[in-house]
Amino acid sequence: MKKPNILLITSDQQHWNTIGAFNNEISTPNLDRLVKEGTTFNRAYCPNPTCTPTRASIITGKYPSQHGAWSIGTKLSEDQLTIGDILKEEDYRTALVGKAHFQPLTSTEEYPSLEAYPLLQDLAFWKRFDEDFYGFEDVDLARNHTNEAHVGQHYAIWLEENGCHNWRDYFRTPTGTMDPSEKYKWDIPEKYHYNNWIAEKTNEKLEKYQEEEESFFLWASFFDPHPPYIVPEPWDTMYDPEKLTLPKIVPGEHDKNAPHFQLTQAENPDFTPYQETNIGNIGFRSYVNITESEARKNMAVYYGMITMMDKYIGRILDKLDELGLAEDTIIVFTTDHGHFFGQHGLHDKGGFHYEDVMKLPFIVRYPGNIQAGHVSTAMQSLVDLAPTFLSFAGIPIPATMTGCDQKPAWIGEEEQVRDHIICEYRTQPTAVHQKTFVDERYKITIYYNRPYGEIFDLLEDPGEINNLWDDPASLQLKADLLLKYAWAELGKEALPMPRISGA
């Protein structure tokens, strides 16, 4: 019996509430199609709200503190066992198209990176590249979000092969010639946008797998709507900024929060106490000078980026139908982490563990196996993807994987598999190191060697405005949550082998 195909489609930094089926201010007809044909999990979370740690968790089934790629700017060690490694042994074809970000933009002798300058832009190298890459036997890679100078690898090759010989005109210096002050409207022709490249390369692989009757694990990894906020027309003006519901800070909401929250609302904040190395921290800056009109335009273009991406996700879904593969393919659509575009007075991402940056859009479709048109509250973590995919394929899950097998929850045999989430965040050895525990109702965040933290009642305070950490009436709640968090940490330790003897 042919094993199920697995198609993972991800966006990058997409807020959980940006699917048209649940938010009438945005249009996503193809994601809505998946919602109608599959199950939406409305309590899905990332294991870390930044790219590299979470993406490494997706393929290893381990938390960042376990697989070692604990922050962006680090790399996932090549000796880590990945789901691709396992599936290849079971005669699956494995491929990744788009963003990997398993390695940093800088390479050293001790920690070499294939995704670093100058190799990133050595197109001759990438034309002949045919090595296994973390269990993916076939890759088409790029590294730039929108018009960033990091453009190169297979995407730049594709641009040249498709007649876009002036591709450097559409990217920032020093790689390209585009003025970095240009915002919102990207002059690159839509046919040369990486959304089209990702859809085209994904569909080419689907055609090959169908023709050769091979089971596959294929990851279509989109770059949008990760900032910079810039997109080709007409998507840049598709949404009227004045008609969108702009998230805003609640006056005084950070008064009870950790100091770094408060500093983001100061004119000239001093974040030096949070920096032990010469590399800064994501999101630790002032946001008070972002005007409402700028925030509205950012949000409108962010929505436009999502709607454009949705169009090309639709092309992949159409190809599955055309090839007769839809019935035999598990599709998961999600993102690597969330995004702030004004919530709590914050923008982008960072060490602020609100639902906006931790929670994810998450849809699963597998006709005849997973309920259509259903919304489930069963908690999901991206660390669960690898063991769950292996379970559906009938392949033993390695004991080193610490994510949960979500198959019983996906197919409706059980209401839920996990009763809590752990989200980790670390960008400095000690100064920025935090973890968050979430259960059905509450959320607690602790900071390494710091007396402060956050506790939010997600039932009574879904906007996460009232921090209960120092609330005298919540002392028992704090004690209970700290104990539950300790249990959760103990519970996510791996048992690499069973105990086989008394001594």
Side-chain angles (χ1 to χ4, degrees):
M1 179 179 173
K2 187 175 181 289
K3 294 176 178 177
N5 305 311
I6 301 164
L7 175 60
L8 174 61
I9 303 174
T10 57
S11 58
D12 191 348
Q13 199 163 314
Q14 183 176 351
H15 191 276
W16 65 267
N17 191 26
T18 52
I19 295 178
F22 307 104
N23 178 354
N24 62 15
E25 294 188 4
I26 190 170
S27 173
T28 57
N30 293 292
L31 293 181
D32 295 356
R33 173 175 157 193
L34 287 179
V35 169
K36 183 178 179 181
E37 297 170 353
T39 291
T40 302
F41 292 90
N42 64 12
R43 297 209 67 189
Y45 291 84
C46 62
N48 183 295
T50 53
C51 298
T52 299
T54 275
R55 290 168 178 273
S57 289
I58 288 173
I59 60 172
T60 61
K62 298 179 180 180
Y63 289 86
S65 56
Q66 297 169 331
H67 59 57
W70 52 274
S71 173
I72 60 170
T74 68
K75 67 178 285 187
L76 179 64
S77 175
E78 288 87 350
D79 62 8
Q80 286 286 322
L81 180 69
T82 71
I83 182 174
D85 294 325
I86 299 166
L87 290 175
K88 282 194 306 179
E89 292 295 316
E90 299 290 335
D91 297 323
Y92 271 79
R93 302 280 65 79
T94 61
L96 167 62
V97 180
K99 178 174 177 175
H101 204 169
F102 304 137
Q103 300 186 356
L105 286 168
T106 298
S107 190
T108 67
E109 185 174 344
E110 187 176 3
Y111 303 106
S113 171
L114 283 173
E115 299 188 65
Y117 288 97
L119 192 61
L120 180 74
Q121 296 174 332
D122 183 348
L123 302 193
F125 171 84
W126 291 105
K127 280 181 181 178
R128 63 178 185 269
F129 183 81
D130 62 355
E131 300 172 23
D132 178 279
F133 190 64
Y134 293 103
F136 295 104
E137 60 187 356
D138 185 11
V139 294
D140 288 278
L141 301 176
R143 189 53 195 277
N144 56 291
H145 309 103
T146 64
N147 63 343
E148 287 179 340
H150 312 321
V151 61
Q153 294 173 290
H154 296 100
Y155 174 46
I157 294 168
W158 176 84
L159 287 170
E160 292 189 350
E161 290 175 347
N162 283 272
C164 189
H165 300 295
N166 67 325
W167 58 270
R168 293 179 184 272
D169 293 347
Y170 304 117
F171 299 92
R172 297 182 191 177
T173 58
T175 301
T177 58
M178 186 173 172
D179 183 347
S181 68
E182 291 186 42
K183 299 171 67 175
Y184 304 131
K185 178 186 173 184
W186 194 9
D187 285 333
I188 191 170
E190 184 172 329
K191 66 179 180 178
Y192 294 135
H193 192 278
Y194 46 57
N195 285 345
N196 187 36
W197 167 67
I198 292 169
E200 180 182 300
K201 290 297 180 182
T202 298
N203 287 348
E204 285 177 3
K205 296 182 198 312
L206 290 174
E207 289 173 347
K208 181 177 71 173
Y209 299 145
Q210 190 267 351
E211 182 179 338
E212 298 176 1
E213 297 185 346
E214 294 178 308
S215 299
F216 60 83
F217 169 49
L218 175 56
W219 184 356
S221 181
F222 287 86
F223 295 84
D224 286 357
H226 189 296
Y229 303 106
I230 189 166
V231 69
E233 58 182 359
W235 312 97
D236 61 318
T237 58
M238 179 176 182
Y239 294 96
D240 182 348
E242 298 305 316
K243 293 182 178 178
L244 298 177
T245 304
L246 181 69
K248 295 181 180 179
I249 190 171
V250 174
E253 69 167 281
H254 293 311
D255 292 351
K256 301 176 186 177
N257 291 350
H260 66 285
F261 288 78
Q262 300 161 20
L263 287 171
T264 65
Q265 308 306 308
E267 284 282 353
N268 297 294
D270 179 11
F271 283 106
T272 53
Y274 297 91
Q275 191 166 331
E276 296 165 89
T277 67
N278 62 356
I279 301 175
N281 296 302
I282 308 150
F284 280 29
R285 60 187 181 90
S286 173
Y287 296 104
V288 295
N289 292 320
I290 297 177
T291 65
E292 178 173 330
S293 61
E294 182 182 3
R296 285 189 175 279
K297 183 61 178 177
N298 289 346
M299 182 179 177
V301 175
Y302 181 80
Y303 275 23
M305 294 166 77
I306 293 169
T307 303
M308 181 188 178
M309 176 181 63
D310 179 86
K311 170 183 173 179
Y312 290 90
I313 290 173
R315 291 195 177 175
I316 296 171
L317 299 181
D318 290 344
K319 179 60 69 172
L320 273 178
D321 290 342
E322 175 192 321
L323 296 172
L325 293 171
E327 297 298 311
D328 300 317
T329 301
I330 301 167
I331 295 180
V332 172
F333 170 79
T334 188
T335 194
D336 54 0
H337 54 81
H339 180 66
F340 297 113
F341 44 92
Q343 296 91 343
H344 308 282
L346 301 170
H347 294 264
D348 204 357
K349 59 187 176 229
F352 318 95
H353 278 186
Y354 291 115
E355 298 286 274
D356 304 286
V357 78
M358 287 175 53
K359 202 167 145 183
L360 317 166
F362 195 97
I363 314 166
V364 183
R365 187 186 82 178
Y366 188 17
N369 296 275
I370 292 172
Q371 186 176 347
H374 180 58
V375 177
S376 171
T377 59
M379 284 185 161
Q380 307 289 313
S381 173
L382 296 181
V383 77
D384 301 336
L385 285 178
T388 304
F389 289 153
L390 292 176
S391 179
F392 271 98
I395 299 170
I397 299 167
T400 53
M401 287 189 176
T402 51
C404 296
D405 173 9
Q406 291 279 359
K407 182 181 177 182
W410 288 14
I411 65 176
E413 284 184 353
E414 296 181 20
E415 282 193 21
Q416 66 177 16
V417 170
R418 60 163 64 244
D419 61 6
H420 69 271
I421 296 292
I422 286 183
C423 183
E424 307 177 341
Y425 183 78
R426 189 174 188 179
T427 55
Q428 299 290 332
T430 64
V432 183
H433 185 191
Q434 68 198 68
K435 291 189 182 182
T436 293
F437 169 88
V438 189
D439 67 12
E440 183 179 354
R441 177 170 177 173
Y442 295 102
K443 168 192 283 186
I444 184 168
T445 301
I446 63 169
Y447 299 85
Y448 180 61
N449 281 348
R450 300 291 187 271
Y452 49 72
E454 289 94 46
I455 296 174
F456 293 111
D457 182 341
L458 298 176
L459 178 63
E460 296 295 330
D461 179 27
E464 299 173 275
I465 305 302
N466 183 29
N467 181 8
L468 300 174
W469 182 269
D470 289 321
D471 175 29
S474 300
L475 283 175
Q476 187 60 51
L477 172 64
K478 181 194 285 189
D480 291 344
L481 290 174
L482 287 171
L483 184 57
K484 284 185 176 181
Y485 165 69
W487 289 343
E489 279 291 338
L490 293 173
K492 76 179 176 65
E493 293 180 4
L495 293 174
M497 67 167 284
R499 191 177 183 208
I500 58 174
S501 173

